[in-house]
Amino acid sequence: MKFVLKGGLSGRMVKKLSDDQIAYIYQKTKGKYVIIGVGGVFTAKDAFHKIQLGATLVELITGMVFEGPQLIGEINRGLVKLMDQHGFKTIAEAVGTEKGLRFQVTGFRPDT
């Protein structure tokens, strides 16, 4: 019996692709849909960046696997500080606020 293992890419390896897709979808839909930011979230700064690109929710798996469940609290506390530094009272205010919102799609071409 032969076992074939299939795996995927996750974490920091997909961060840029994920960020590009968040920005692209946010720009195309003008914030009409909920976008879940995933891929390469290890810090509050990572989560905040995805929010500013257009994510309304942020999911973390790989970061928690490597850093442990305390990462959730660390990111939450860090987000509060980052929002305060940028003058936001809610996450909703921060969504899509990245200056010069841009994307450079690599690999995935939704228009083709």
Side-chain angles (χ1 to χ4, degrees), residues 76-92:
N76 284 338
R77 288 185 294 277
L79 279 173
V80 170
K81 289 178 184 176
L82 286 166
M83 288 174 43
D84 188 50
Q85 288 171 5
H86 288 83
F88 300 119
K89 293 187 190 297
T90 67
I91 294 287

Side-chain angles (χ1 to χ4, degrees), residues 5-102:
L5 300 175
K6 293 183 179 182
L9 300 175
S10 64
R12 289 187 177 111
M13 292 179 72
V14 298
K15 184 179 185 327
K16 181 174 178 357
L17 177 62
S18 169
D19 290 350
D20 290 346
Q21 293 304 308
I22 292 166
Y24 177 82
I25 293 167
Y26 183 79
Q27 285 179 335
K28 288 291 188 181
T29 63
K30 298 174 178 41
K32 182 178 177 182
Y33 299 104
V34 172
I35 299 171
I36 302 172
V38 300
V41 180
F42 288 82
T43 66
K45 186 176 177 182
D46 295 335
F48 192 65
H49 183 65
K50 290 191 184 303
I51 292 165
Q52 287 191 297
L53 289 173
T56 46
L57 298 170
V58 177
E59 175 183 286
L60 64 133
I61 299 296
T62 307
M64 196 170 71
V65 168
F66 286 105
E67 303 296 328
Q70 74 281 355
L71 182 63
I72 297 167
E74 292 170 8
I75 288 176
N76 284 338
R77 288 185 294 277
L79 279 173
V80 170
K81 289 178 184 176
L82 286 166
M83 288 174 43
D84 188 50
Q85 288 171 5
H86 288 83
F88 300 119
K89 293 187 190 297
T90 67
I91 294 287
E93 292 176 9
V95 173
T97 60
E98 176 74 15
K99 298 282 190 243
L101 197 60
R102 82 269 183 251

